[in-house]
């Protein structure tokens, strides 16, 4: 009997890097896909961002491709999150609308949509960047966070406790907001905006009252209008810091709290109107008061969590992204992985410095061989000033991401400590760069 050959499906991945390509090659049915990089991470995230130029580069590569274009996907924040739906619309591919993405990306618009269906969010308001004497919104009190209405990786996000810190943060935001705000305004021009958002634009500053408690994230997707959540994770900070120490899956929160978070998420995502796409939503839970508050909605799944789902559930969340783009329900089966829990740890440096030495590929491979269930990604390069690293938060610099799968939290901590001891970094004072 003659065998019937199955045509490989061509999946174009915006900003595909080697680490995520390895994860993509392990999803179910990966043998049926050819993954193609569409623009580089450097083109998409470093320096000035021009959405029209990026779209033109992407279309040039797609139009020159000698084969079918079966899906265009991405797992990065802006501008990838908005370029993907634009390209999907132009090439007739499956995916959610640009408007639903922007309702998440534009933090002020997102808050307006949230308050239509839930009460579990902080007080918020806009801060003028035009006045010489900026002030918090009248109905708000310190402490609060200031941030651009669109940013990524907590860039230009500042926690402030008084007027001096408030005005210093406004000065920082005013000076840097155009890098993302200007290209974001191009995206806004592609939509028929409600008047209150058209008036605000893409280069505005949002204030939100600070939330208390433990941080938690929920990941899910919408397929043909049905909202499905497949995982709740804990986000744990460094002591006395707002910087992530690790993301841990599954969450330790009580089941009733998790069910409440899932209910809130379902209402919000239905209101946003997202369809055939993944999402992740961050929350705070205050055990003392029982309060749950929504921090922000990300219109994409988190690549930071990919290995965690693979360790615990046996399949990464990249599978959801690809399945939805191909028009099929991911149909995940939880707890089919090798480990009971997993975490992504952030090895950070809290002052600027010049990187003199990072672990070599051979050293990394040896650590991964010696410690089962460990995967390591080094962030900076040698001879790099840490403050030149793109996409960092306002208070620290990432040296390495360390993914750990284990059968207990004690075992996970022990593996992480062994990794730190075995990974050589040498960092000098910034003056060494002069």
């Amino acid at each position: 009997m003659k065998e019937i050959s199955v045509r490989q499906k061509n999946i174009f991945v915006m900003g595909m890097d080697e680490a995520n390509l390895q994860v993509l090659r392990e999803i179910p049915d990966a043998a049926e896909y050819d993954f193609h990089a569409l623009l580089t991470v450097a083109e998409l995230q470093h320096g000035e961002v021009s959405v029209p130029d990026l779209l033109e580069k992407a279309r040039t590569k797609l139009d020159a491709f000698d084969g079918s274009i079966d899906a265009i996907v991405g797992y990065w924040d802006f501008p990838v999150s908005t370029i993907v739906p634009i390209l999907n619309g132009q090439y007739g591919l499956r995916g959610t609308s640009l408007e639903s993405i922007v309702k998440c990306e534009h933090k002020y618009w997102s808050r307006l949509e949230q308050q239509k269906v839930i009460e579990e969010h902080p007080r918020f308001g806009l801060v003028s960047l035009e006045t010489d004497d900026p002030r918090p919104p009248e109905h708000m009190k310190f402490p609060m966070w200031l941030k651009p209405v669109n940013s990524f990786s907590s860039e230009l996000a500042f926690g402030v406790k008084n007027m001096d810190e408030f005005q210093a943060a406004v000065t920082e935001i005013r000076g840097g907001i155009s890098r993302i705000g200007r290209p974001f305004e191009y995206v806004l021009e592609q939509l028929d905006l409600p008047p209150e958002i058209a008036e605000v634009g893409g280069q505005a500053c949002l204030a939100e009252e600070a939330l208390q408690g433990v941080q938690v994230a929920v990941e899910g997707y919408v397929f043909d209008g049905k909202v499905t959540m497949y995982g709740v994770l804990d986000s744990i900070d460094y002591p006395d810091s707002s910087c992530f120490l690790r993301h841990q899956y599954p969450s330790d929160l009580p089941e009733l709290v998790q069910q409440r978070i899932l209910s809130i998420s379902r209402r919000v995502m239905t209101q946003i109107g997202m369809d055939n796409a993944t999402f992740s939503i961050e929350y705070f839970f205050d055990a003392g008061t029982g309060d749950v508050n929504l921090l922000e909605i990300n219109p994409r799944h988190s690549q930071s969590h990919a290995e965690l789902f693979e360790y615990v559930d046996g399949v990464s969340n990249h599978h959801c992204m690809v399945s939805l783009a191909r028009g099929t329900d991911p149909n995940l089966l939880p707890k089919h992985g090798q480990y009971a829990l997993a975490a992504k740890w952030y090895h950070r440096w809290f002052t600027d410095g010049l990187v003199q030495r990072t672990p070599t590929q051979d050293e990394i491979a040896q650590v991964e061989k010696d410690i089962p269930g460990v995967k390591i990604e080094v962030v900076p390069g040698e001879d790099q000033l840490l403050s030149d690293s793109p996409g960092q938060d306002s208070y620290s610099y990432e040296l390495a991401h360390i993914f750990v799968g284990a059968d207990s939290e004690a075992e996970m901590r022990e593996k992480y400590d062994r990794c730190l001891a075995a990974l050589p970094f040498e960092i000098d004072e910034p003056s060494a760069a002069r």
Side-chain angles (χ1 to χ4, degrees), residues 123-291:
R123 283 191 286 266
F124 63 94
L126 295 171
V127 175
S128 173
L129 297 178
E130 310 300 325
T131 179
D132 293 333
D133 186 27
R135 296 282 165 176
E138 291 184 0
H139 61 288
M140 294 177 57
K141 62 181 185 295
F142 293 110
M144 65 181 66
W145 280 86
L146 299 186
K147 59 190 76 173
V149 292
N150 187 25
S151 64
F152 54 78
S153 299
S154 299
E155 186 175 316
L156 291 179
F158 298 95
V160 297
K161 300 185 293 294
N162 53 52
M163 278 302 301
D164 288 342
E165 292 182 359
F166 177 90
Q167 294 191 339
V170 170
T171 299
E172 289 283 334
I173 293 170
R174 185 188 289 129
I177 196 170
S178 64
R179 189 180 88 83
I180 300 301
R182 189 178 296 118
F184 188 46
E185 288 187 333
Y186 171 85
V187 173
L188 295 180
E189 290 169 1
Q190 314 307 307
L191 298 172
D192 183 14
L193 299 172
E196 62 271 25
I197 302 303
E199 182 180 353
V200 169
Q203 298 192 65
C205 177
L206 181 68
E208 299 179 340
E209 286 191 0
L211 298 172
Q212 303 295 322
V214 295
Q215 197 166 340
V216 60
V218 58
E219 286 216 5
Y221 63 86
V222 189
F223 176 69
D224 285 350
K226 180 183 177 183
V227 181
T228 298
M229 267 74 69
Y230 55 80
V232 182
L233 308 93
D234 293 329
S235 296
I236 298 158
D237 293 338
Y238 276 82
D240 302 317
S241 169
S242 61
C243 302
F244 289 135
L245 171 62
R246 69 182 186 272
H247 303 302
Q248 185 167 316
Y249 177 65
S251 172
D252 273 341
L253 285 183
E255 183 63 26
L256 285 177
V257 176
Q258 293 192 40
Q259 289 303 317
R260 184 180 173 194
I261 288 172
L262 297 180
S263 174
I264 295 168
S265 303
R266 189 170 290 108
R267 279 177 278 153
V268 167
M269 296 315 297
T270 300
Q271 174 66 28
I272 293 291
M274 181 175 284
D275 201 6
N276 302 309
T278 59
F279 63 85
S280 60
I281 309 178
E282 297 174 41
Y283 291 89
F284 273 92
F285 169 65
D286 188 333
T289 64
D291 289 343

Side-chain angles (χ1 to χ4, degrees), residues 11-17 35-41 43-44 54-63 69 71-73 76 80 83-84 87 91:
I11 313 296
F12 286 82
V13 185
M14 296 286 295
M16 184 170 69
D17 54 345
F35 295 106
H36 306 270
L38 187 58
L39 304 183
T40 66
V41 175
E43 287 175 311
L44 290 161
L54 292 172
L55 283 167
E56 183 60 30
K57 286 182 181 179
R59 286 191 291 256
T60 298
K61 179 165 185 176
L62 292 167
D63 292 343
I69 300 170
I72 300 172
V73 298
W76 295 96
V80 171
I83 290 176
V84 167
L87 291 175
Y91 287 86

